[in-house]
C-alpha cells in the first residue's frame, strides 16, 4: 500500500461482550480460521479496561498466536485488532514497575521486544492490522510490519519517543520512511507528530 492506512468507511466494532474467545490466552481473544471465515483468523487485543496496554504477557501471547495461527494450513490471513475503544495505548507501565537494576530491566525488555517483533517478521501468513481506535508507541510502529493497515474514522496514531527519551522500535526506522517518505517519517518518529486515520490515508 502507498499510504500508512486505508480508512474504513463502515464502523468497525469489537465489543468485548461479543468477542469469541476460542483459546486459553489471557490477554487476547482469538478466532481461528475455518471455512465459514474464508480462511481469515482474527486476533484481538483484549484488555479494554486498560486501553489494551501491552504487558509482557500480552507480548508473549501475541507473538505465540501469530506464529501458531500463521503456521496453520487453514489460515489464509490474520486480522489483528482489539476489543474496546482503543487499539492499544502502548506499553503498560507496570512492565517497568518491578524493582531491578536498570541494566537488567533494559535487557529483559530488549529480549521481550525482539521476540515480539520477530513474530511479525516470521509469521507465514499476511497480517492485516485493523485499528479500531487510538494507537500509541509500539502499537503504531509494528503496523509497519503488517501487510495491510486499516483504521476507523477517528483513530489516531502517536509515537512519543522524543518525550520519553526512547529510540523508535519495531523496525519503524526502516519501514516508516518506506511507507511515509523520509520527511514525514522523521516528523512522526523523531518529533512525535500525532496524526489521524484520514491523514494517514493521505500519507505516502
Amino acid at each position: 500500500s502507498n499510504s500508512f492506512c486505508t480508512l474504513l468507511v463502515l464502523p468497525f466494532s469489537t465489543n468485548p461482550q461479543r468477542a469469541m474467545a476460542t483459546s486459553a490466552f489471557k490477554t487476547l481473544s482469538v478466532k481461528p480460521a475455518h471455512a465459514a471465515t474464508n480462511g481469515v483468523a482474527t486476533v484481538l487485543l483484549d484488555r479494554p479496561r486498560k486501553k489494551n496496554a501491552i504487558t509482557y504477557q500480552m507480548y508473549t501471547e501475541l507473538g505465540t498466536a501469530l506464529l501458531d495461527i500463521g503456521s496453520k494450513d487453514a489460515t489464509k490471513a490474520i486480522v489483528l485488532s482489539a476489543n474496546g475503544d482503543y487499539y492499544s495505548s502502548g506499553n503498560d507501565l507496570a512492565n517497568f514497575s518491578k524493582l531491578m537494576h536498570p541494566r537488567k530491566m533494559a535487557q529483559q525488555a530488549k529480549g521481550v521486544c525482539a521476540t515480539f517483533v520477530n513474530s511479525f517478521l516470521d509469521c507465514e501468513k499476511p497480517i492485516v492490522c485493523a485499528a479500531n481506535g487510538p494507537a500509541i508507541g509500539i502499537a503504531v510502529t509494528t503496523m509497519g510490519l503488517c501487510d495491510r493497515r486499516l483504521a476507523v474514522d477517528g483513530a489516531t496514531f502517536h509515537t512519543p519517543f522524543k518525550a520519553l527519551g526512547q529510540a523508535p522500535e519495531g523496525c519503524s526506522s526502516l519501514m516508516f520512511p518506506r511507507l511515509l517518505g523520509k520527511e514525514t517519517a522523521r516528523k512522526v518518529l523523531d518529533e512525535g507528530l500525532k496524526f489521524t486515520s484520514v491523514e494517514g490515508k493521505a500519507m505516502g
Side-chain angles (χ1 to χ4, degrees):
S1 174
N2 291 326
S3 59
F4 181 80
C5 65
T6 300
L7 185 66
L8 290 180
V9 177
L10 298 176
F12 186 86
S13 176
T14 51
N15 189 305
Q17 281 76 37
R18 296 180 182 176
M20 297 175 62
T22 56
S23 72
F25 293 119
K26 302 295 185 183
T27 66
L28 307 175
S29 179
V30 178
K31 235 163 65 162
H34 51 80
T37 65
N38 294 317
V40 177
T42 304
V43 178
L44 304 178
L45 309 184
D46 198 15
R47 300 184 70 221
R49 293 183 180 180
K50 296 293 185 179
K51 306 297 184 185
N52 293 312
I54 305 175
T55 61
Y56 281 156
Q57 182 179 16
M58 184 182 280
Y59 275 121
T60 300
E61 290 189 351
L62 183 51
T64 298
L66 292 177
L67 294 177
D68 181 60
I69 295 172
S71 69
K72 306 295 185 186
D73 291 338
T75 304
K76 294 180 180 178
I78 301 170
V79 172
L80 176 59
S81 190
N83 279 322
D85 57 355
Y86 262 66
Y87 175 64
S88 174
S89 57
N91 263 309
D92 190 320
L93 295 181
N95 293 337
F96 312 107
S97 64
K98 210 171 174 183
L99 289 176
M100 65 174 68
H101 192 283
R103 185 173 296 172
K104 182 177 180 181
M105 180 181 290
Q107 289 174 340
Q108 181 185 56
K110 179 181 178 181
V112 171
C113 186
T115 301
F116 174 68
V117 169
N118 284 338
S119 69
F120 283 81
L121 300 174
D122 295 335
C123 183
E124 297 177 24
K125 303 296 167 58
I127 302 173
V128 178
C129 175
N132 55 300
I136 300 172
I138 196 166
V140 179
T141 55
T142 49
M143 288 182 182
L145 302 177
C146 296
D147 297 274
R148 289 291 184 272
R149 291 152 295 279
L150 310 177
V152 295
D153 189 4
T156 57
F157 307 90
H158 189 206
T159 53
F161 299 119
K162 182 178 180 180
L164 297 173
Q166 295 180 342
E169 82 288 86
C171 302
S172 55
S173 59
L174 172 67
M175 295 304 300
F176 273 41
R178 295 182 179 184
L179 290 168
L180 308 176
K182 290 183 179 180
E183 181 59 22
T184 302
R186 183 189 64 79
K187 291 179 180 179
V188 170
L189 296 175
D190 297 342
E191 298 180 9
L193 174 68
K194 183 177 180 179
F195 59 96
T196 66
S197 52
V198 174
E199 292 167 334
K201 183 182 180 182
M203 291 176 175

